[in-house]
């Protein structure tokens, strides 16, 4: 039966694009398509949607267009091990047009889907069909996560305490048998105590195993239920038949008790890995003092709208982003930048939600509310990073995906081979149970995401925001770091140092023309000229026909004469003769020179200087000691670039690089096999940031930086660059340690269990503690601290 499906298409620029795409789609077998350019929608009638839809999407992409996707984050419940996450990921990715990543540690699924083909409700239905619970993640729910986690931990604790009370006699039994070699409790008493542990205290394991098997796969719960169930029912059969065999009630009870203890400790440790994002959420106050017709009233932060005027009193947190209208105060922005020194605020200053007002009252107009605040964007970035997967995790995911079926097969082989070789049925059963119990792949599933959660949380508190796990992983591999000069190595606030009119012209007329040409530009040099002109009260002349030449200069017409302003090379292109000796002298002093000309004759020269950042030289030395090659790119002249490079100890630099060419230089280094990072201000460096393996945007809260860069350094301080690399290296060390422990544990434990050298109780204890040890090792990452900036020494 055919079905009509509509989906959005990106990239159509005209009606002919729609017509061309329609022809492409109608050439597909079994497809009837219409494409609407106005609505940017494609409607297809398919005979077999389940099979043909992916072919349709592929045809759209081959035609040069994109199938538009929406993002969805789901909170997942019911996952108990890495194989659960792997299984759910496979289920979701089998849906047409869906790309999903499921994270065990965060218990979330990040999904990209095609509207019209899938929707949140259908995806949640697929999650529930796979045996899990799914709920749309929202900002409101984030506030309740801490409470829910504590309630979950208390429920697990109470369940464990009941299990422990019932299992204490069995631990006494095991000690008694070790010394006396006979039973301490009659078998019927053991049965009475073991039954509630097996079927009530471990009921969540049975539920998880049933859901897993019902969906056609197996998880950790299946292994535990099989292992303890075999021990329990074998013992019941021995009791009923009166066979001369030992009973293993104590083994099943001890395994469940130890696994419950391990899950309890694991839950508590996992809760600590979320402390980074929770600490950010707690910074935003719940109420705001909003001005209304009735005076200042307290309103929930969620009801504040753009344009509302609110008051921030001394000692209070700023509720949302805004612009100061009245008042002066120092504001602590450490939650954004990691810098504890307060920032002075006055009228026209920008304040950010969650920052702490120190000593003065401020009257502020709201400019960013809800998800538009910088704090909300930071929280979203941290969440995305914590939920993403690093390349190093893929091996663990592949292993976890096949681990449980392999273990079940190994347990069966152990039982039958052991029974055939030794002739001891009981020994074979015990060995098979040990194999089932010890082989839980939980530690594999937690090794990478827990370290990433801690690392990204630490970064957020230090003002270092990693967009995803790949950025965190690649930062420690950098071999070359390309750095923009203006605004990155320098303060980005050039000032006019010299105004040198040519013969026949006066300073006033030179500045009047320069200010007229620069008044509509946002370039830092243009703003410096305008600021200087305002200080000396220069009045711009009238001009028309403005034309900007990117990276070179600007020209216009005044009184019928052509006026040009720009770099010396801009004048050379127009065959305008300049005083090369004067320009060379100024450039050797590290200054940038701009030339003003009228009707092909130079009116004069304006020199500007931009101070090098105080920390720049120490940072460059630290990065070089770490084995990273530093390359400086600048659109400035050769001599000014050489002066800055010499002052900072940078050996490689490129001068006269236009903004559009920076990305080409980055690609060139990547083509040489280098792992390249790019540090820029996040605005004119956006193409180069996107071209680099890892783009570092330096500057608090730049919107383009949040969109383009892989790492956003909220503190406008170069020290954050080596700090980010240091944190990346520390995190990857933890991931490697965790993966080593997880693989080593299974590689060592499985053969011991298969050859009967590992008691089921010890196997249960080892399995339970393996996950706890991996999470605890990740938490040791909290000892990382940013390098002491004053010393300039790396970690």
């Amino acid at each position: 039966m055919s079905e009509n499906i509509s989906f959005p298409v990106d990239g159509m620029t005209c009606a002919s694009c729609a017509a061309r795409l329609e022809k492409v789609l109608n050439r597909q077998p079994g497809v009837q398509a219409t494409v609407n350019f106005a609505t940017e929608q494609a409607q297809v009638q398919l005979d077999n949607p389940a099979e043909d839809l992916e072919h349709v999407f592929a045809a759209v992409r081959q035609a040069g267009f994109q199938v538009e996707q929406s993002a969805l984050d789901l909170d997942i419940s019911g996952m108990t091990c890495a194989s659960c996450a792997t299984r759910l990921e496979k289920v979701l990715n089998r849906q047409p047009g869906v790309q999903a990543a499921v994270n065990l540690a965060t218990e979330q699924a990040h999904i990209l889907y095609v509207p019209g083909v899938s929707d949140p409700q259908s995806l949640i239905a697929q999650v529930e069909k796979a045996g899990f619970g799914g709920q749309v993640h929202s900002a409101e729910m984030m506030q309740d996560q801490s409470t829910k986690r504590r309630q979950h931990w208390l429920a697990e604790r109470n369940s464990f305490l009941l299990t422990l009370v019932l299992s204490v006699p069995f631990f006494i039994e095991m000690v008694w048998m070790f010394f006396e070699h006979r039973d301490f409790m009659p078998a019927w008493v053991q049965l009475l105590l073991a039954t509630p542990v097996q079927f009530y205290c471990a009921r969540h394991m049975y539920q998880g195993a049933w859901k897993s098997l019902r969906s056609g796969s197996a998880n950790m719960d299946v292994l535990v239920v099989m292992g303890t169930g075999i021990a329990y029912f074998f013992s019941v059969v021995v009791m009923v038949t009166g066979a001369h065999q030992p009973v293993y009630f104590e083994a099943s009870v001890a395994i469940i008790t130890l696994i419950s203890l391990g899950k309890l400790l694991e839950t508590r440790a996992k809760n600590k890995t979320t402390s980074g994002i929770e600490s950010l959420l707690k910074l935003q106050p719940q109420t705001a003092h909003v001005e209304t017709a009735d005076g200042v009233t307290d309103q929930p932060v969620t009801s504040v709208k753009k344009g509302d005027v609110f008051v921030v009193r001394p000692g209070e947190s700023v509720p949302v982003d805004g612009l100061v209208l009245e008042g002066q105060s120092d504001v602590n922005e450490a939650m954004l930048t990691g810098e504890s020194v307060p920032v002075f605020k006055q009228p026209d200053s920008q304040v950010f939600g969650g920052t702490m007002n120190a000593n003065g009252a401020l009257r502020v107009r709201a400019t960013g509310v809800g998800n538009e605040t910088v704090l909300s964007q930071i929280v979203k970035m941290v969440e995305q990073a914590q939920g993403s997967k690093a390349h190093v995790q893929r091996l663990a995911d592949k292993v976890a995906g096949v681990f449980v079926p392999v273990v079940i097969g190994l347990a069966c082989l152990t039982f039958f081979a052991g029974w055939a070789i030794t002739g001891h049925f009981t020994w074979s059963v015990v060995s098979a149970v040990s194999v089932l119990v010890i082989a839980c792949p939980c530690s594999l599933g937690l090794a990478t995401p827990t370290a990433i959660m801690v690392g990204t949380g630490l970064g957020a508190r230090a003002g270092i925001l990693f967009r995803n796990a790949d950025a965190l992983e690649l930062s420690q591999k950098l071999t070359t770091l390309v750095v923009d000069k203006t605004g990155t190595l320098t303060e980005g606030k050039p000032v006019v140092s010299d105004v040198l009119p040519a013969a026949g012209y006066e300073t006033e007329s030179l500045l009047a023309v320069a200010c007229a040409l620069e008044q509509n530009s946002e370039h830092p040099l243009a703003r410096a000229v305008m600021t200087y002109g305002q200080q000396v009260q220069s009045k711009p002349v009238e001009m028309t026909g403005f034309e900007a030449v990117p990276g070179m200069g600007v020209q216009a017409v005044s009184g019928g004469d052509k006026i040009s302003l720009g770099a010396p090379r801009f004048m050379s292109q127009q065959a305008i003769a300049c005083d090369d000796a004067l320009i060379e002298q100024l450039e050797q002093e590290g200054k940038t020179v701009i030339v003003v000309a009228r009707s092909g004759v130079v009116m004069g020269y304006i020199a500007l200087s931009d101070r090098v950042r105080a920390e720049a030289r120490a940072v460059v030395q630290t990065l070089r000691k770490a084995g990273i090659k530093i390359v400086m790119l600048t659109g400035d002249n050769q001599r000014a670039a050489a002066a800055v490079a010499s002052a900072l100890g940078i050996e490689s630099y490129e001068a006269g690089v236009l903004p559009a060419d920076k990305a080409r230089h980055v690609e060139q280094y990547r083509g040489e096999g280098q792992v390249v990072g790019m540090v820029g201000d996040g605005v004119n460096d956006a193409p180069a940031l996107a071209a680099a393996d890892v783009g570092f945007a330096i500057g608090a809260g730049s919107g383009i930086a949040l969109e383009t860069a892989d790492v956003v350094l909220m503190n406008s301080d170069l020290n954050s660059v080596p700090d980010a690399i240091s944190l990346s290296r520390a995190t990857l060390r933890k991931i490697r340690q965790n993966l080593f422990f997880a693989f080593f544990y299974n590689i060592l434990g499985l053969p011991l269990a298969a050859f009967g050298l590992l008691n089921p109780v010890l196997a249960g204890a080892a399995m339970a503690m393996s996950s706890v040890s991996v999470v605890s090792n990740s938490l040791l990452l909290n000892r990382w601290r940013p390098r002491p900036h004053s010393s300039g020494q790396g970690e």
Side-chain angles (χ1 to χ4, degrees), residues 310 318-323 351-353 365-368 372-375:
F310 59 89
V318 179
V320 296
D321 294 359
L323 197 69
V351 292
F352 303 99
R365 175 180 287 113
T367 57
E372 297 176 353
T373 65
V374 171
L375 177 60

Side-chain angles (χ1 to χ4, degrees), residues 236-456:
V236 170
V237 170
V238 169
M239 274 189 59
V240 172
T241 60
H244 295 290
Q245 297 284 350
V247 293
Y248 290 95
F249 290 119
E250 80 282 352
S252 67
V253 169
I255 290 169
I256 291 172
T257 303
L258 291 169
I259 290 174
S260 298
L261 174 61
K263 294 297 290 183
L264 183 67
L265 295 175
E266 178 190 317
T267 300
R268 187 171 186 178
K270 280 171 63 178
N271 289 348
K272 292 181 180 179
T273 64
T274 62
S275 60
I277 196 168
E278 284 184 359
S279 64
L280 291 174
L281 289 170
K282 291 176 182 177
L283 293 171
Q284 188 170 36
Q286 300 302 306
T287 59
H289 311 305
V290 181
E291 291 185 0
T292 64
D294 300 324
V296 178
T297 60
D298 288 349
Q299 296 182 10
V301 169
T302 53
S303 67
V304 178
K305 305 181 189 66
K306 274 187 179 180
D308 285 351
V309 176
F310 59 89
V311 177
V312 186
R313 297 161 184 160
E316 294 182 340
S317 294
V318 179
V320 296
D321 294 359
L323 197 69
V324 176
L325 300 176
E326 295 178 13
Q328 295 181 342
S329 183
D330 292 318
V331 176
N332 188 335
E333 296 184 345
M335 51 77 64
L336 285 178
T337 65
E339 180 57 58
S340 60
V341 178
V343 179
F344 180 69
K345 301 293 182 180
Q346 58 187 348
D348 293 331
S349 296
Q350 192 172 10
V351 292
F352 303 99
T355 55
M356 179 64 70
N357 183 29
N359 45 34
L362 297 175
R363 187 167 171 265
V364 185
R365 175 180 287 113
T367 57
V369 298
N371 293 330
E372 297 176 353
T373 65
V374 171
L375 177 60
S376 294
Q377 292 180 58
I378 291 174
V379 170
K380 184 65 176 175
M381 281 190 70
V382 174
E383 277 195 310
Q384 288 176 346
Q386 290 184 342
S388 62
K389 292 187 177 183
H391 287 287
V392 73
Q393 189 176 345
R394 293 176 182 172
L395 175 61
D397 285 348
K398 288 179 181 179
V399 173
V402 299
F403 201 75
V404 174
V406 169
V407 167
I408 292 175
L410 182 59
C412 293
L413 178 63
T414 298
F415 171 73
F416 289 111
W419 192 10
I421 295 171
T422 65
H424 293 290
F425 178 82
T426 303
W427 181 92
S428 302
V429 169
V430 171
S431 298
V433 169
S434 296
V435 169
L436 290 170
V437 171
I438 199 170
C440 169
C442 270
S443 54
L444 282 176
L446 293 170
T448 300
T450 51
I452 288 173
M453 288 174 71
V454 176
T456 51

Side-chain angles (χ1 to χ4, degrees), residues 22 25 59 107 128 188 217 219 349 372 382 417 462 465 488 505 609 660 754 758 770 776 782:
E22 189 172 297
L25 294 178
E107 297 182 327
E128 292 174 346
W188 67 268
S217 61
N219 63 358
S349 296
E372 297 176 353
V382 174
L465 304 180
T488 305
Y505 292 96
S609 60
L758 197 62
S770 65
S776 300
N782 280 306

